[in-house]
């Protein structure tokens, strides 16, 4: 067996059950450190427990920011290779989870993002002209969606601790499929606003609900990769939206009296409902309370899943109560993780308007430089870059068991295109147009942050499933609450592509990401030395 890595980013195993003044009694006392309101592991001590010379003193700067040694990297590679020595039953369980849960989650995520972003593809494919959308209506479509998404997200995270996820998540997916199809019948912006509100209500459960389920079924060395694969399906959905719109414009535009952009919503809606029905059988619920319709899992598989939770110091799902909510809000994790998640999402947000940039470009004679098909198809290349690098960041994160270094790396990469675009928008006559193209494509390199942030959350709070569920919920709710108004002010469609201060704000956001990543890492490391 490989030796213990010299550097490890997971929380320490410290038993403080006998500390005086603890406000937690009974069996729960061994799971909490009342000095910090954060959770620590009650499992058997590791080399980093009370016996470690690291504890009981203040860490040095070098120890706070130490990087893995070559020996440590070798140990970790050997550690990951130990998956081959897992029991046949455990190997079969992981294989089934990947084939069914992960596959269903990825397909659902593709469809969700397809439904969520097809409004932009439709906008540049005739919807703008047919509905008379000559102001910032596109931004308001996002605003109404974001408000309802934000309002429903936390209640949805609470509901899945009381109602089986295999009922709740597919049921809502079917609902948003129906709403998506109805957008095809709209005749003005106000009708779209109403349907976008309902779409946000139904879609709010999908991403956080699936991320929460992954935390119960996958181990720390498996989690970031799976979250990365799942998260990358957002880009795949965006790519499919453009590709599907191109195919529809070439084949269905005008069929049965429907414009191509209306067919986009009809087809999206049908696909979404079909995927939602399958979800009643594909979602396994929780290891301690498995889905009886999940024919692909046996009792031995669920028992193994529960054993894996115990082995890695994690607890099964619990119903969220007022006490767990109050406890969550007393944790520093409950503030730093959401802030980090929000800024990593806001910083590269300009990539969403790549198609508006392309649509705005004209030839010297005033004709569009790119056709409608090209405006939808060119960003597909960016989506491919996004998928590739989300996978790369997630695999590196699990391989080296580090989250913060890769978050900072993406922030540094993301700064470059934001700086270039801030110059181009201020001086488009003297700045090469090629630099703007390059910048938009570079933004796709820095879209792999969400899996790392959520994996870091799982590492920090292995024993508090209620807190993890809530923090995932209001991290995303906070993001959509900000997007509901900020994108109208920062990225107004009427200013595209020469936004007044959007790229400068993106630079600020990336700097904040670097600061928050360092701060969270320092706090996490200092817990080793208590």
């Amino acid at each position: 067996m490989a030796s213990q890595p010299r550097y490890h980013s997971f929380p320490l195993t410290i038993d403080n059950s006998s500390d005086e003044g603890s406000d937690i009694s009974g069996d729960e006392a061994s799971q909490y450190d009342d000095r910090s309101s954060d959770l620590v592991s009650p499992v058997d001590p590791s080399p980093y427990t009370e016996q470690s010379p690291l504890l009981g003193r203040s860490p040095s700067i070098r120890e706070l920011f130490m990087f893995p040694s070559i020996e440590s990297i070798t140990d970790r590679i050997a550690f990951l290779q130990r998956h081959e020595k897992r029991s046949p039953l455990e190997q079969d369980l992981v294989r089934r989870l990947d084939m069914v849960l992960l596959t269903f989650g990825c397909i659902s995520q593709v469809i969700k993002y397809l439904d969520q972003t097809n409004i932009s593809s439709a906008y540049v494919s005739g919807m703008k002209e047919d509905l008379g959308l000559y102001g910032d209506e596109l931004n308001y479509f996002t605003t109404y969606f974001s408000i309802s998404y934000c309002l429903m997200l936390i209640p949805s995270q609470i509901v899945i601790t009381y109602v089986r996820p295999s009922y709740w998540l597919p049921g809502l997916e079917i609902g948003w499929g129906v709403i998506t199809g109805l957008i095809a019948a709209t005749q003005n912006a106000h009708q779209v606003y109403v349907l976008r509100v309902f779409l946000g209500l139904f879609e709010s459960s999908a991403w956080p609900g699936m991320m929460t389920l992954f935390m119960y079924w996958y181990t720390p060395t498996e989690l970031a990769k799976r979250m990365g694969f799942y998260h990358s399906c957002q880009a795949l959905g965006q790519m499919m939206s453009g590709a599907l719109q191109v195919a529809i414009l070439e084949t269905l535009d005008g069929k049965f009296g429907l414009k191509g952009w209306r067919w986009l919503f009809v087809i999206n809606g049908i696909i979404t409902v079909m995927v939602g029905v399958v979800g009643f059988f594909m979602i396994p619920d929780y290891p301690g309370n498995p889905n009886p319709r999940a024919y692909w899992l046996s009792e031995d598989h669920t028992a193994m899943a529960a054993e894996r939770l115990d082995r890695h110091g994690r607890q099964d799902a619990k119903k969220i109560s007022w006490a767990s909510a109050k406890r969550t809000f007393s944790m520093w994790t409950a503030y730093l993780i959401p802030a980090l998640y929000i800024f990593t999402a806001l910083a590269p947000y300009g990539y969403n308007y790549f198609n508006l940039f392309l649509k705005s470009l004209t030839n010297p004679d005033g004709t569009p430089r790119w056709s409608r098909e090209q405006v939808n198809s060119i960003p597909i290349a960016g989506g491919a870059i996004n998928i590739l690098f989300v996978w790369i960041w997630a695999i590196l994160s699990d391989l080296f068991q580090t989250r913060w270094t890769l978050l900072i790396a993406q922030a540094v990469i993301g700064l470059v295109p934001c700086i270039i675009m801030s110059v181009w928008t201020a001086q488009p006559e003297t700045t090469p147009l090629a630099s703007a193209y390059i910048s938009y494509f570079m933004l796709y390199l820095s879209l792999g942050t969400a899996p790392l942030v959520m994996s870091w959350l799982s590492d920090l709070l292995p024993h508090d499933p209620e807190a993890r569920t809530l923090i995932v919920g209001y991290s995303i709710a906070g993001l959509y609450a900000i997007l509901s108004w900020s994108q109208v002010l920062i990225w107004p469609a009427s200013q595209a592509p020469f936004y007044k201060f959007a790229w400068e704000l993106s630079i600020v956001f990336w700097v904040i990401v670097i600061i928050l990543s360092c701060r969270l890492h320092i706090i996490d490391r200092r817990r080793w030395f208590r």
Side-chain angles (χ1 to χ4, degrees):
M1 180 177 292
S3 59
Q4 179 69 31
R6 299 184 182 182
Y7 170 81
H8 196 47
S9 62
F10 295 141
L12 289 178
T13 302
I14 308 174
D15 184 6
N16 292 297
S17 58
S18 60
D19 285 354
E20 295 183 3
S22 174
D23 56 354
I24 303 173
S25 60
D27 294 338
E28 290 184 304
S30 63
Q31 299 175 16
Y32 295 89
D33 178 359
D34 63 294
R35 291 172 298 181
S36 67
S37 298
D38 286 322
L39 299 163
V40 291
S41 172
V43 297
D44 292 337
S46 70
Y48 301 109
T49 56
E50 287 99 338
Q51 292 78 20
S52 172
L54 299 177
L55 298 180
R57 64 178 177 82
S58 299
S60 66
I61 297 297
R62 177 180 178 276
E63 289 168 332
L64 284 176
F65 292 99
M66 65 186 295
F67 291 90
S69 63
I70 298 298
E71 295 84 353
S72 176
I73 293 173
T74 303
D75 287 342
R76 283 178 194 152
I77 295 175
F79 174 73
L80 294 178
Q81 291 173 342
R82 287 208 298 272
H83 286 329
E84 299 175 0
K85 298 182 180 180
R86 293 180 302 196
S87 69
L89 178 61
E90 185 172 0
Q91 293 179 39
D92 188 49
L93 169 64
V94 176
R95 187 182 308 112
R96 288 170 182 253
L97 289 172
D98 288 344
M99 292 177 62
V100 182
L101 174 61
L102 182 60
T103 299
F104 170 78
C106 288
I107 293 174
S108 177
Q109 180 70 353
V110 168
I111 300 304
K112 173 187 178 294
Y113 211 71
L114 182 62
D115 293 343
Q116 186 173 331
T117 61
N118 57 17
I119 197 76
S120 181
S121 296
Y123 182 85
V124 297
S125 302
M127 185 182 190
K128 175 181 178 180
E129 292 76 14
D130 289 349
L131 300 189
L133 310 177
Y134 295 105
D136 292 327
E137 290 89 351
L138 178 62
N139 297 106
Y140 288 115
F141 292 159
T142 302
T143 295
Y144 284 106
F145 174 90
S146 299
I147 290 174
S148 59
Y149 194 104
C150 170
L151 293 176
M152 186 62 182
L153 206 150
I154 295 178
S156 178
Q157 284 293 90
I158 296 174
V159 168
I160 63 172
T161 66
Y162 288 85
V163 178
R164 286 186 179 275
S166 58
Y167 287 130
W168 184 250
L169 299 181
L172 292 181
E173 185 159 359
I174 292 173
W176 92 59
V178 173
I179 298 299
T180 298
L182 290 175
I183 297 178
T186 56
Q187 300 300 320
N188 55 62
H190 295 288
Q191 293 174 355
V192 180
Y193 293 153
V194 173
L195 292 176
R196 292 286 290 181
V197 167
F198 283 100
L199 192 65
L201 291 175
F202 284 109
E203 284 196 17
S204 63
S205 64
W207 196 91
M210 194 60 64
M211 282 289 195
T212 301
L213 284 179
F214 288 159
M215 294 180 187
Y216 292 110
W217 290 97
Y218 289 110
T219 64
T221 57
E222 301 165 349
L223 187 58
K225 290 190 292 293
R226 271 70 181 186
M227 285 186 171
F229 291 144
Y230 175 70
H231 184 70
S232 69
C233 291
Q234 290 187 359
L236 186 57
Q238 190 174 35
M239 292 167 63
M240 285 185 61
S241 180
L244 186 60
Q245 186 65 73
V246 171
I248 289 173
L249 287 172
E250 294 178 348
T251 59
L252 292 177
D253 191 17
K255 294 288 185 180
F256 303 105
L258 290 181
K259 295 291 187 66
W261 68 266
R262 295 185 187 273
W263 275 112
L264 178 63
F265 293 108
V266 171
I267 294 174
N268 288 174
I270 293 173
I271 296 174
T272 303
V273 171
M274 294 173 60
V275 173
V277 171
V278 174
F280 289 113
F281 306 93
M282 299 294 101
I283 294 178
D285 293 336
Y286 303 110
N289 186 25
N291 179 5
R293 298 176 305 283
Y295 60 90
W296 52 278
L297 280 181
S298 67
E299 292 184 2
D300 290 339
H301 289 125
T302 55
M304 172 56 68
E307 191 274 330
R308 278 157 51 93
L309 285 177
D310 292 338
R311 185 196 315 161
H312 292 276
R314 278 154 166 75
Q315 291 189 355
D316 204 351
K318 295 180 180 179
K319 294 179 178 179
I320 294 176
S321 62
W322 281 112
S324 60
K326 290 170 61 178
R327 184 177 69 248
T328 300
F329 283 107
S330 69
M331 301 175 181
W332 53 264
T333 316
Y335 301 96
L336 288 182
I337 288 290
L340 181 59
Y341 174 79
I342 289 169
F343 283 108
T344 56
L346 292 177
Y349 199 74
Y351 85 95
N352 286 286
Y353 302 107
F354 191 12
N355 54 2
L356 295 188
F357 163 76
L358 296 171
K359 187 178 176 67
S360 70
L361 299 178
T362 59
N363 294 313
D365 61 0
T367 59
R369 176 168 297 188
W370 304 106
S371 67
R372 288 191 300 174
E373 290 80 6
Q374 291 170 325
V375 167
N376 282 291
S377 60
I378 291 175
I380 293 176
I385 296 172
N386 182 7
I387 291 174
L388 175 62
F389 276 85
V390 167
W391 291 353
I392 290 174
W393 297 122
I395 291 171
L396 290 176
S397 177
D398 273 352
L399 178 62
F400 299 120
Q401 287 298 280
T402 181
R403 319 298 187 196
W404 75 286
T405 50
L406 300 180
L407 288 171
I408 291 177
Q410 291 183 72
V412 172
I413 292 173
L415 278 169
V416 176
C418 293
I419 293 172
I420 294 174
M421 287 304 297
S422 66
V423 175
W424 181 81
T425 54
Q427 302 174 358
E429 296 84 5
T430 57
T431 307
L433 181 60
S435 64
Y437 284 109
I438 294 172
S439 296
Y440 271 105
F441 281 114
M442 282 190 66
L443 283 173
Y444 290 95
L445 302 176
S446 58
L447 299 180
T449 54
L452 305 188
V453 174
M454 294 304 165
S455 297
W456 203 355
L457 169 63
S458 182
D459 299 341
L460 293 167
L461 299 178
H463 291 288
D464 197 339
E466 307 104 299
R468 290 201 309 266
T469 301
L470 283 173
I471 292 173
V472 169
Y474 66 75
S475 295
I476 305 169
L479 171 62
Y480 278 87
I482 294 173
L483 289 178
S484 66
W485 57 267
S486 65
Q487 48 85 37
V488 179
L489 299 176
I490 300 174
W491 305 97
S494 57
Q495 292 181 11
F498 303 108
Y499 304 103
K500 292 181 179 178
F501 51 82
W503 296 109
E504 290 79 3
L505 279 178
S506 293
I507 294 172
V508 174
F509 294 156
W510 278 128
V511 172
I512 294 175
V513 168
I514 294 174
I515 294 172
L516 287 175
S517 298
C518 292
R519 180 58 178 163
L520 185 58
H521 173 70
I522 290 172
I523 294 175
D524 188 23
R525 290 281 295 170
R526 280 176 174 166
R527 297 170 67 220
W528 290 29
F529 294 83
R530 290 203 306 260

